Amino acid sequence: MVSNGCARTGSALYLDCQAGIAGDMLVAALLDAGADEAAMRRALASLPVDGFEIEVSRVKKAGIDCCDFAVALDAAHENHDHDMAYLHGIGHAASEHEHEHEHEHEHEHEHEHEHEHEHEHEHGGRHGHHHHEHRGPADIAGIIDAADMTVGARTLAHRTLDILAAAEAAAHAVPLDQVHFHEVGAVDSIVDIVAASVLLDSLDVERVYVPVLVDGNGAIRCQHGIIPVPVPATLNVCTQHGLPLAQADVEGELVTPTGAALVAALDPTFTLPKRYVVRRVGLGAGKRTYERPSIVRALLIDELPAPEAAPEQVPGTPVHVVKLECDIDDCSSEVLAYAAERLRDAGAREVHWLSVYTKKNRPAYQLQVIAAPEDVERLEAIIFAETTTIGVRRSAWDRTVLSRTFESVETPWGGVRIKRVALPDGSARIAPEYEDCAAIARREGVALQAVMDAARAAARG
């Protein structure tokens, strides 16, 4: 985690990724939420990497003011990071680069990573020939170690790199030591990983909540051709670290491998606390233009304790019940009594016999059974087996059930169980358990009412 153990109790970071997440989006959201920009700039200035500058500005996304973090590459490192026509294989921009193999899969300032055996090709006719180096995980780890940042930030950056490298190795079926990041893509990824790690560490939160990563659908173009969204490396990160993933009705890539790897490195919790207060909100803008505005939100929250629970209801007491009913005019009283006994023993909530008049003014009994929904079939079987009825009526009821608790109190003659019922106005009703009181009255030769009064007095304390 990013905490060093000194965070305020309950302090946490909630990353809202309903519109996806990428490295630069996360950096911008953290800056907007008040993370240490000066520490980030020191770390990036100390990197032994050339060919980039950073820009922090404000932009509008669907009319919402957001922070924007951009990695400006020099001419030698220019790429198709936000060339929507190229990425989606449409129009002139797509055909112009149809046979190029060097264009990296865009990752909101990140790219699909090439391997060492990839050939050099002309960069789209834009800059002539340019030799591109490749960096392996060990090379990038050395760059991270050279950066001016805290131990916590460095640890988080290394963890993110390890996760990203493992995902790429799985995507291309190569050993970890054979994963090589192309120079163009590696610069963006290194900057995003280091910047995000420094900012996250500066916030010093105890835990991170990320309920879901929402990606798009369809396909996207990379140097290997057209690949499906979510892209393989992103899926591998989510699979290897159990990150919850959902897909929006948006064609395109919303979650990038580096964005997913940064989330995984934070070891997030997926379920938000039931109650919290928001201290700060940061909005980070993405670079692509989709139907859904590319915005990630970073909320600094203080968790609140759960509200005091109401007294527990009796386990198994249903709020929804079913009433079973039938009329019987040809059974003896002994049979009816036995049927009621069996129904109560089988879990019926209530069993009633009512005197009624049926067809031709025959005196009869109506059986009424109140049952939990899951007990209906079993209780109906008993009714058919133990009475002469040939039909049972059902009706679903809602019940208002008051909360109650049970406790024991001491009377001059022994212990008695008490039921304490919470009334809607906040007061309580106390009811001694009849069987306990009756047993004491018989044993001690005292009036039942005296035992019940003593139990009530003891319960009121």
Side-chain angles (χ1 to χ4, degrees):
M1 266 298 300
V2 294
S3 174
N4 61 12
C6 300
R8 294 190 298 172
T9 300
S11 178
L13 173 66
Y14 163 29
L15 295 179
D16 180 2
C17 304
Q18 293 294 319
I21 185 168
D24 62 329
M25 294 169 68
L26 176 59
V27 170
L30 296 171
L31 287 170
D32 202 33
D36 192 343
E37 181 176 348
M40 178 198 73
R41 290 185 177 275
R42 284 195 304 271
L44 296 180
S46 69
L47 290 176
V49 176
D50 297 324
F52 78 94
E53 292 181 357
I54 62 168
E55 300 171 357
V56 178
S57 61
R58 309 297 301 184
V59 297
K60 290 286 197 301
K61 283 282 185 177
I64 301 173
D65 181 64
C66 304
C67 180
D68 180 70
F69 174 78
V71 181
L73 301 175
D74 63 20
H77 296 82
E78 190 272 340
N79 58 73
H80 301 290
D81 201 44
H82 311 119
D83 185 344
M84 299 298 287
Y86 170 76
L87 291 168
H88 291 280
I90 59 176
H92 175 71
S95 60
E96 178 185 356
H97 310 292
E98 188 65 34
H99 302 293
E100 293 180 13
H101 292 209
E102 147 183 314
H103 298 307
E104 283 66 300
H105 167 221
E106 188 276 338
H107 288 314
E108 296 282 0
H109 284 313
E110 303 141 27
H111 304 268
E112 190 74 40
H113 308 304
E114 295 184 12
H115 304 303
E116 199 161 23
H117 61 271
E118 295 283 351
H119 299 292
E120 299 176 57
H121 291 276
E122 186 174 320
H123 193 85
R126 299 187 180 187
H127 305 296
H129 295 278
H130 177 69
H131 177 72
H132 295 295
E133 299 175 357
H134 296 78
R135 293 187 173 99
D139 301 317
I140 299 177
I143 293 172
I144 291 172
D145 285 335
D148 178 11
M149 54 182 168
T150 64
V151 173
R154 197 183 321 280
T155 300
L156 183 59
H158 278 300
R159 189 182 307 154
T160 304
L161 173 63
D162 292 344
I163 291 169
L164 190 56
E168 293 290 356
H172 300 290
V174 298
L176 273 173
D177 59 1
Q178 292 182 25
V179 173
H180 285 78
F181 298 83
H182 192 278
E183 184 186 30
V184 175
V187 170
D188 291 333
S189 296
I190 292 168
V191 171
D192 287 346
I193 290 171
V194 169
S197 297
V198 170
L199 296 174
L200 286 161
D201 183 70
S202 75
L203 291 175
D204 196 27
V205 294
E206 284 187 329
R207 62 193 63 83
V208 176
Y209 293 98
V210 184
V212 68
L213 300 180
V214 178
D215 207 344
N217 59 68
I220 196 165
R221 180 183 295 268
C222 72
Q223 84 256 11
H224 304 293
I226 303 295
I227 59 175
V229 175
V231 300
T234 295
L235 276 179
N236 289 340
V237 172
C238 293
T239 300
Q240 293 163 4
H241 297 272
L243 301 182
L245 186 64
Q247 286 187 264
D249 188 20
V250 174
E251 184 177 357
E253 180 192 34
L254 304 182
V255 177
T256 70
T258 298
L262 282 163
V263 169
L266 294 170
D267 190 22
T269 298
F270 307 136
T271 303
L272 280 168
K274 291 188 180 298
R275 300 198 310 159
Y276 57 87
V277 293
V278 179
R279 291 193 286 113
R280 293 289 301 270
V281 179
L283 284 79
K287 305 300 185 297
R288 292 186 181 179
T289 302
Y290 288 126
E291 301 167 12
R292 178 177 297 198
S294 298
I295 301 173
V296 68
R297 296 196 297 177
L299 290 79
L300 294 176
I301 64 175
D302 285 336
E303 300 174 33
L304 297 176
E308 187 172 337
E312 292 186 3
Q313 296 180 359
V314 175
T317 300
V319 174
H320 304 291
V321 294
V322 177
K323 180 181 179 183
L324 306 177
E325 184 180 277
C326 61
D327 299 334
I328 301 172
D329 63 1
D330 56 352
C331 267
S332 68
S333 57
E334 294 88 352
V335 169
L336 297 179
Y338 180 75
E341 182 181 340
R342 279 211 59 196
L343 289 165
R344 292 190 182 97
D345 290 343
R349 300 293 171 175
E350 297 175 26
V351 180
H352 307 141
W353 288 111
L354 302 181
S355 294
V356 295
Y357 287 95
T358 59
K359 59 185 178 180
K360 300 180 181 178
N361 290 323
R362 296 175 183 170
Y365 289 98
Q366 184 178 92
L367 173 63
Q368 296 182 348
V369 179
I370 306 301
E374 63 270 19
D375 294 335
V376 167
E377 299 295 337
R378 182 163 46 84
L379 296 178
E380 272 192 353
I382 294 175
I383 294 173
F384 285 124
E386 301 295 348
T387 73
T388 57
T389 189
I390 59 174
V392 176
R393 298 181 291 274
R394 297 184 186 182
S395 57
W397 290 9
D398 291 334
R399 295 203 311 171
T400 299
V401 182
L402 296 177
S403 298
R404 78 288 304 268
T405 57
F406 290 91
E407 59 192 75
S408 294
V409 298
E410 287 297 320
T411 72
W413 309 281
V416 172
R417 287 173 294 169
I418 293 288
K419 178 168 63 177
R420 191 182 298 271
V421 179
L423 299 174
D425 64 1
S427 62
R429 180 186 300 135
I430 298 169
E433 184 64 34
Y434 165 77
E435 296 294 346
D436 292 357
C437 294
I440 289 176
R442 295 188 188 97
R443 185 183 70 239
E444 302 294 334
V446 296
L448 172 63
Q449 194 59 55
V451 179
M452 299 182 76
D453 287 345
R456 292 191 187 94
R460 294 190 184 101

